[in-house]
């Protein structure tokens, strides 16, 4: 027997352990020299998107000229008359566009305006976690974004839809050198996607069934569900029926 | 002498392998490869669990503190109800909310209201605190009194 050689279980285990160790060492060495490789970035991005959407009202920039003076008007009502002007790709393009009348959506946020902002001395008018019905309805409405005065695309064309998602990602805090996929939805506490104004509140790519996906949730209320209380009622409409979840997936 | 597996692919007809051990080792290798190819079956949802819990607490307090045009909030209304001895309404409202969060998020929650540093009211699905809980608090000035409202959350 000894003269013919054997493969023992010890040998197989040794080879197996060596292969695992070698794979780990290879993976570790490669990742150690690759800069900025981390899975934390998608988690932080999911958190940031959820924060912007729930705590911010968005930003609409209007540039104009009043006599000899150039004007810049910053407003939160992007959902009212917001357009996308391709001559302004980012804030640093604003000086170049001065002198021409331009309006563009610079950031999307869903937070409602405070019901008592007229009494506030603070400049901040957004109410965290209280979402504005119109903002919600338009944010999740792909047809609204497909309008020629905005991104001007065919929502039924998958490639154009993907391009739109890339553009939209810049408006919700996912812009940068890396391209992220996202899925954003508003769900009730039973897990069902809610509808606002006939629009199903889900936008983005389908969430993959495997792989590294970051998820962050915020508890929110849409103003239409509590409007009676906010406009002078008892003010205690926060309950299991009115509270919803804003769910953000990033990968 | 254990049984030999002759003519296996390891030995090209000359070597031998101990059958039982070889089968076990092969099964382990095969299972490892299958596991590695299929892992993970479900999306990995990250490790920001503590921050997520903390934000649940913050959000609940934010929602309970939304002011209406008469400057009332859900919190101040609840404090009035509790002060007037009508805890039943607050009990059912918060407990239902807490129960819904437990069903949807597997999160246990509890609200505590302190008046002048002494516990005035508590309610929710979270009965026992543990080191993995997260909490958030807010100080409410209402009718000349200082109240501290704490929301505590914990994964099941």
């Amino acid at each position: 027997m000894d003269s013919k050689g054997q493969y023992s279980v010890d040998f197989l285990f040794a080879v197996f352990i060596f292969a695992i160790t070698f794979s780990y060492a290879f993976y570790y060495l490669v990742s150690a020299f690759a800069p900025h490789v981390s899975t934390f970035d998608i988690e932080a991005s999911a958190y940031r998107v959820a924060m912007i959407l729930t705590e911010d009202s968005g930003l609409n920039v209007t540039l104009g000229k009043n006599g000899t003076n150039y004007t810049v008007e910053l407003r939160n009502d992007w959902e009212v008359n917001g357009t996308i002007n391709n001559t302004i790709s980012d804030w640093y393009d604003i000086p170049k566009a001065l002198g021409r009348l331009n309006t563009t959506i610079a950031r999307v946020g869903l937070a409602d305006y405070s019901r008592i902002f007229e009494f506030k001395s603070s400049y901040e008018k957004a109410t965290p976690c209280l979402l504005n019905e119109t903002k919600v309805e338009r944010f999740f409405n792909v047809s609204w974004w497909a309008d020629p005065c905005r991104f001007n695309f065919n929502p039924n064309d998958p490639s154009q839809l993907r391009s739109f998602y890339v553009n939209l990602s810049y408006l919700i805090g996912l812009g940068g050198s890396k391209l992220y996929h996202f899925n954003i939805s508003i769900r009730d506490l039973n897990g069902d996607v809610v509808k606002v104004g006939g629009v199903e509140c889900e936008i983005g790519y389908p969430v993959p069934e495997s792989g590294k996906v970051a998820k962050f949730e915020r508890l929110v209320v849409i103003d239409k569900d509590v409007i009676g209380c906010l406009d002078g009622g008892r003010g205690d409409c926060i309950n299991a029926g009115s509270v919803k979840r804003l769910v953000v997936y990033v990968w | 002498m254990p049984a030999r597996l002759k003519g296996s692919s390891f030995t090209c007809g000359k070597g031998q392998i101990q059958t039982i051990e070889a089968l076990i080792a092969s099964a382990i290798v095969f299972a490892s490869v299958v596991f590695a190819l299929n892992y993970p079956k479900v999306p990995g949802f990250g490790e920001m669990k503590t921050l997520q819990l903390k934000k649940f607490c913050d959000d609940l307090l934010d929602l309970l503190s939304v002011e209406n045009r008469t400057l009332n909030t859900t919190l101040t209304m609840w404090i009035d109800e509790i002060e007037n001895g009508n805890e039943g309404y607050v009990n059912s409202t918060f407990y239902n909310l807490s129960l819904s969060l437990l069903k949807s998020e597997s999160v246990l929650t509890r609200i505590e209201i302190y008046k002048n540093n002494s516990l005035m009211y508590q309610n929710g699905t979270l009965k026992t605190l543990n080191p993995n809980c997260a909490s958030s608090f807010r100080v409410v000035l209402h009718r000349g009194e200082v109240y501290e409202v704490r929301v505590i959350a914990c994964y099941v």
Side-chain angles (χ1 to χ4, degrees):
Chain A
M1 181 185 75
D2 291 341
S3 62
K4 292 185 177 178
Q6 302 171 33
Y7 286 96
S8 70
V9 67
D10 304 345
F11 176 73
L12 285 175
F13 272 124
V15 169
F16 181 63
I17 291 169
F18 174 77
I20 295 289
T21 310
F22 183 79
S23 305
Y24 175 76
F26 181 77
Y27 172 77
Y28 176 78
L29 283 174
V30 169
S31 59
F33 291 105
H36 308 137
V37 173
S38 167
T39 55
F40 183 77
D41 63 339
I42 55 171
E43 293 169 349
S45 298
Y47 169 74
R48 185 173 64 237
V49 172
M51 186 194 72
I52 287 175
L53 291 178
T54 54
E55 298 183 16
D56 189 81
S57 293
L59 185 63
N60 200 37
V61 182
T62 302
L63 307 173
K65 194 174 183 182
N66 181 12
T68 56
N69 297 323
Y70 297 122
T71 60
V72 179
E73 187 183 14
L74 306 176
R75 297 177 62 91
N76 300 124
D77 55 351
W78 60 269
E79 79 282 5
V80 178
N81 53 8
T83 57
I84 296 293
N85 191 313
N86 291 323
T87 61
I88 309 173
S89 61
D90 213 330
W91 61 268
Y92 45 74
D93 280 333
I94 289 176
K96 283 191 286 184
L98 277 173
R100 305 190 301 273
L101 184 60
N102 283 292
T103 298
T104 195
I105 300 173
R107 191 175 65 244
V108 171
L110 305 179
D112 199 5
Y113 313 106
S114 169
R115 285 296 188 278
I116 59 158
F117 69 85
E118 59 262 40
F119 305 125
K120 279 189 175 180
S121 57
S122 167
Y123 181 75
E124 182 59 68
K125 295 176 181 176
T127 304
C129 302
L130 178 67
L131 306 188
N132 180 281
E133 177 187 6
T134 311
K135 288 176 189 287
V136 169
E137 181 188 335
R138 296 196 172 157
F139 174 69
F140 288 103
N141 188 351
V142 175
S143 300
W144 188 79
W145 289 108
D147 189 272
C149 72
R150 292 180 197 93
F151 286 117
N152 190 21
F153 68 97
N154 176 9
N156 298 318
D157 182 336
S159 66
Q160 291 189 35
L161 192 61
R162 280 196 296 274
S163 299
F164 157 66
Y165 288 153
V166 172
N167 288 323
L168 186 62
S169 69
Y170 284 88
L171 301 181
I172 57 174
L174 281 179
S177 57
K178 190 174 175 182
L179 213 55
Y180 294 96
H181 293 81
F182 64 87
N183 178 284
I184 300 165
S185 60
I186 298 178
R187 296 168 182 271
D188 59 26
L189 293 181
N190 294 324
D192 299 326
V193 175
V194 302
K195 276 189 174 182
V196 175
V199 175
E200 199 158 76
C201 293
E202 183 169 18
I203 196 166
Y205 305 88
V207 181
E209 292 182 357
S210 62
K212 184 73 177 174
V213 179
K215 177 187 180 190
F216 207 87
E217 294 188 37
R218 299 296 298 266
L219 300 178
V220 297
V221 161
I222 302 173
D223 61 0
K224 75 178 176 64
D225 296 332
V226 293
I227 197 73
C229 299
L230 295 175
D231 282 341
R234 278 166 47 91
D236 58 349
C237 288
I238 308 301
N239 52 47
S242 60
V243 174
K244 310 278 188 272
R245 299 180 298 142
L246 185 133
V247 187
V248 176
Y249 294 97
V250 173
W251 65 97
Chain B
M1 178 69 66
R4 303 292 179 204
L5 180 65
K6 293 185 177 178
S8 73
S9 59
F10 290 101
T11 60
C12 297
K14 289 185 177 180
Q16 301 171 20
I17 188 165
Q18 292 169 305
T19 310
I20 300 299
E21 293 90 334
L23 286 174
I24 292 171
S26 303
I28 291 172
V29 172
F30 179 73
S32 304
V33 171
V34 169
F35 180 75
L37 288 177
N38 288 287
Y39 179 83
K41 276 287 190 185
V42 294
F45 288 135
E47 296 167 355
M48 298 177 83
K49 294 281 188 184
T50 308
L51 180 60
Q52 178 69 82
L53 272 182
K54 172 77 174 160
K55 293 314 289 182
F56 278 146
C57 298
D58 287 343
D59 290 348
L60 274 176
L61 280 174
D62 277 341
L63 290 174
L64 295 175
S65 304
V66 172
E67 294 166 310
N68 68 4
R69 286 195 185 280
T70 58
L71 303 183
N72 283 315
T73 69
T74 302
L75 267 186
T76 57
M77 299 297 287
W78 283 7
I79 288 171
D80 282 343
E81 296 278 354
I82 294 164
E83 288 283 20
N84 294 331
N86 303 324
E87 289 186 4
Y89 172 76
V90 184
N91 283 344
S92 61
T93 307
F94 188 82
Y95 194 80
N96 285 339
L97 181 57
S98 189
L99 204 58
S100 298
L101 284 172
L102 177 59
K103 287 176 183 169
S104 67
E105 310 289 338
S106 299
V107 170
L108 297 161
T109 46
R110 177 157 95 187
I111 189 169
E112 295 176 349
I113 301 177
Y114 292 82
K115 181 181 181 183
N116 300 326
N117 290 325
S118 59
L119 184 63
M120 183 176 86
Y121 174 81
Q122 70 173 5
N123 188 14
T125 50
L126 177 61
K127 303 301 178 193
T128 311
L129 298 180
N130 69 57
N132 296 321
C133 292
S135 71
S136 194
F137 75 95
R138 188 151 301 175
V139 175
V140 180
L141 183 62
H142 184 55
R143 300 192 196 281
E145 298 282 353
V146 177
Y147 299 88
E148 182 188 336
V149 182
R150 292 183 196 167
V151 172
I152 307 163
C154 207
Y155 283 111
V156 175

